[in-house]
Short mmCIF file of all heavy atoms in Angstrom, two decimals:
data_model
loop_
_atom_site.label_atom_id
_atom_site.label_comp_id
_atom_site.label_asym_id
_atom_site.label_seq_id
_atom_site.Cartn_x
_atom_site.Cartn_y
_atom_site.Cartn_z
N LYS A 8 0.80 -1.22 0.00
CA LYS A 8 0.00 0.00 0.00
C LYS A 8 0.84 1.28 0.00
O LYS A 8 0.43 2.29 -0.58
CB LYS A 8 -0.93 -0.01 1.23
CG LYS A 8 -1.91 1.11 1.25
CD LYS A 8 -2.81 1.08 0.02
CE LYS A 8 -3.64 2.34 -0.04
NZ LYS A 8 -3.72 2.89 -1.37
N ILE A 9 1.99 1.28 0.62
CA ILE A 9 2.80 2.49 0.77
C ILE A 9 3.07 3.19 -0.57
O ILE A 9 2.90 4.40 -0.67
CB ILE A 9 4.10 2.20 1.56
CG1 ILE A 9 3.76 1.99 3.03
CG2 ILE A 9 5.11 3.32 1.39
CD1 ILE A 9 4.92 1.47 3.87
N PRO A 10 3.49 2.48 -1.62
CA PRO A 10 3.76 3.19 -2.88
C PRO A 10 2.54 3.90 -3.46
O PRO A 10 2.64 4.99 -4.02
CB PRO A 10 4.24 2.09 -3.83
CG PRO A 10 4.73 1.00 -2.94
CD PRO A 10 3.88 1.07 -1.71
N LEU A 11 1.36 3.30 -3.31
CA LEU A 11 0.14 3.94 -3.82
C LEU A 11 -0.17 5.23 -3.08
O LEU A 11 -0.55 6.24 -3.69
CB LEU A 11 -1.04 2.97 -3.73
CG LEU A 11 -0.94 1.75 -4.63
CD1 LEU A 11 -1.98 0.71 -4.26
CD2 LEU A 11 -1.08 2.15 -6.08
N VAL A 12 -0.03 5.20 -1.77
CA VAL A 12 -0.26 6.41 -0.98
C VAL A 12 0.80 7.46 -1.32
O VAL A 12 0.48 8.64 -1.49
CB VAL A 12 -0.24 6.10 0.53
CG1 VAL A 12 -0.31 7.37 1.36
CG2 VAL A 12 -1.39 5.17 0.89
N ALA A 13 2.05 7.03 -1.44
CA ALA A 13 3.13 7.96 -1.75
C ALA A 13 2.90 8.67 -3.08
O ALA A 13 3.09 9.89 -3.19
CB ALA A 13 4.48 7.23 -1.76
N VAL A 14 2.47 7.94 -4.09
CA VAL A 14 2.22 8.55 -5.40
C VAL A 14 1.08 9.56 -5.32
O VAL A 14 1.18 10.67 -5.86
CB VAL A 14 1.93 7.46 -6.46
CG1 VAL A 14 1.33 8.06 -7.72
CG2 VAL A 14 3.20 6.71 -6.80
N THR A 15 0.02 9.21 -4.64
CA THR A 15 -1.12 10.12 -4.51
C THR A 15 -0.73 11.40 -3.80
O THR A 15 -1.03 12.51 -4.27
CB THR A 15 -2.28 9.42 -3.76
OG1 THR A 15 -2.63 8.23 -4.46
CG2 THR A 15 -3.48 10.33 -3.65
N LEU A 16 -0.02 11.28 -2.68
CA LEU A 16 0.38 12.47 -1.92
C LEU A 16 1.50 13.24 -2.60
O LEU A 16 1.59 14.46 -2.46
CB LEU A 16 0.78 12.08 -0.50
CG LEU A 16 -0.36 12.09 0.52
CD1 LEU A 16 -0.92 13.46 0.74
CD2 LEU A 16 -1.47 11.14 0.18
N ARG A 17 2.33 12.55 -3.36
CA ARG A 17 3.37 13.25 -4.12
C ARG A 17 2.73 14.20 -5.12
O ARG A 17 3.13 15.35 -5.25
CB ARG A 17 4.28 12.25 -4.84
CG ARG A 17 5.35 12.93 -5.69
CD ARG A 17 6.24 11.94 -6.38
NE ARG A 17 5.51 11.17 -7.38
CZ ARG A 17 6.05 10.21 -8.11
NH1 ARG A 17 7.32 9.86 -7.94
NH2 ARG A 17 5.33 9.56 -9.00
N GLU A 18 1.69 13.72 -5.80
CA GLU A 18 0.99 14.58 -6.76
C GLU A 18 0.31 15.75 -6.05
O GLU A 18 0.28 16.87 -6.56
CB GLU A 18 -0.02 13.77 -7.58
CG GLU A 18 0.62 12.72 -8.45
CD GLU A 18 1.76 13.25 -9.33
OE1 GLU A 18 1.58 14.32 -9.96
OE2 GLU A 18 2.82 12.62 -9.36
N GLY A 19 -0.24 15.48 -4.87
CA GLY A 19 -0.83 16.56 -4.08
C GLY A 19 0.19 17.59 -3.66
O GLY A 19 -0.04 18.79 -3.74
N ALA A 20 1.35 17.13 -3.22
CA ALA A 20 2.41 18.05 -2.78
C ALA A 20 2.95 18.86 -3.97
O ALA A 20 3.30 20.03 -3.80
CB ALA A 20 3.54 17.27 -2.11
N ARG A 21 2.98 18.26 -5.13
CA ARG A 21 3.42 19.00 -6.32
C ARG A 21 2.42 20.10 -6.68
O ARG A 21 2.79 21.11 -7.26
CB ARG A 21 3.55 18.06 -7.51
CG ARG A 21 4.77 17.18 -7.47
CD ARG A 21 4.78 16.26 -8.67
NE ARG A 21 5.94 15.40 -8.68
CZ ARG A 21 6.10 14.37 -9.49
NH1 ARG A 21 5.16 14.08 -10.37
NH2 ARG A 21 7.19 13.64 -9.43
N ALA A 22 1.15 19.87 -6.35
CA ALA A 22 0.10 20.81 -6.71
C ALA A 22 -0.11 21.92 -5.68
O ALA A 22 -0.96 22.79 -5.86
CB ALA A 22 -1.23 20.06 -6.92
N LEU A 23 0.67 21.91 -4.59
CA LEU A 23 0.51 22.96 -3.57
C LEU A 23 0.75 24.33 -4.18
O LEU A 23 1.62 24.52 -5.03
CB LEU A 23 1.49 22.73 -2.42
CG LEU A 23 1.19 21.52 -1.52
CD1 LEU A 23 2.30 21.34 -0.50
CD2 LEU A 23 -0.15 21.65 -0.84
N ASP A 24 -0.03 25.28 -3.73
CA ASP A 24 0.06 26.66 -4.23
C ASP A 24 1.29 27.34 -3.65
O ASP A 24 1.40 27.57 -2.44
CB ASP A 24 -1.22 27.41 -3.83
CG ASP A 24 -1.32 28.78 -4.45
OD1 ASP A 24 -0.29 29.31 -4.93
OD2 ASP A 24 -2.43 29.33 -4.46
N ASP A 25 2.24 27.69 -4.51
CA ASP A 25 3.48 28.34 -4.07
C ASP A 25 3.21 29.71 -3.46
O ASP A 25 3.96 30.16 -2.58
CB ASP A 25 4.46 28.47 -5.24
CG ASP A 25 5.01 27.12 -5.65
OD1 ASP A 25 5.08 26.21 -4.81
OD2 ASP A 25 5.38 26.96 -6.85
N ASP A 26 2.15 30.39 -3.90
CA ASP A 26 1.83 31.69 -3.33
C ASP A 26 1.43 31.56 -1.86
O ASP A 26 1.80 32.39 -1.03
CB ASP A 26 0.69 32.36 -4.12
CG ASP A 26 1.13 32.78 -5.52
OD1 ASP A 26 2.36 32.94 -5.74
OD2 ASP A 26 0.25 32.94 -6.39
N LEU A 27 0.68 30.52 -1.54
CA LEU A 27 0.30 30.30 -0.14
C LEU A 27 1.52 29.94 0.70
O LEU A 27 1.62 30.32 1.87
CB LEU A 27 -0.76 29.21 -0.03
CG LEU A 27 -2.14 29.57 -0.59
CD1 LEU A 27 -3.08 28.37 -0.49
CD2 LEU A 27 -2.72 30.76 0.14
N ASP A 28 2.45 29.22 0.10
CA ASP A 28 3.70 28.90 0.78
C ASP A 28 4.47 30.19 1.10
O ASP A 28 4.99 30.36 2.20
CB ASP A 28 4.54 27.97 -0.10
CG ASP A 28 5.78 27.48 0.60
OD1 ASP A 28 5.74 27.25 1.82
OD2 ASP A 28 6.81 27.31 -0.10
N ALA A 29 4.50 31.10 0.14
CA ALA A 29 5.19 32.38 0.34
C ALA A 29 4.52 33.19 1.44
O ALA A 29 5.19 33.81 2.28
CB ALA A 29 5.23 33.17 -0.96
N VAL A 30 3.19 33.20 1.47
CA VAL A 30 2.45 33.92 2.50
C VAL A 30 2.78 33.34 3.88
O VAL A 30 3.00 34.09 4.84
CB VAL A 30 0.93 33.87 2.23
CG1 VAL A 30 0.14 34.37 3.43
CG2 VAL A 30 0.58 34.67 0.99
N ALA A 31 2.84 32.01 3.98
CA ALA A 31 3.17 31.37 5.25
C ALA A 31 4.56 31.79 5.72
O ALA A 31 4.77 32.06 6.91
CB ALA A 31 3.09 29.85 5.12
#
């Protein structure tokens, strides 16, 4: 199961909004 979860969350982490990261 670990690789499936990792791939899903990797795509989510790639999609994080960089502008919100900058605001933080």
Side-chain angles (χ1 to χ4, degrees):
K8 187 59 189 137
I9 287 170
L11 294 168
V12 173
V14 165
T15 302
L16 270 295
R17 178 179 67 182
E18 296 309 314
R21 285 178 179 169
L23 290 175
D24 187 343
D25 290 333
D26 291 338
L27 292 177
D28 186 35
V30 169

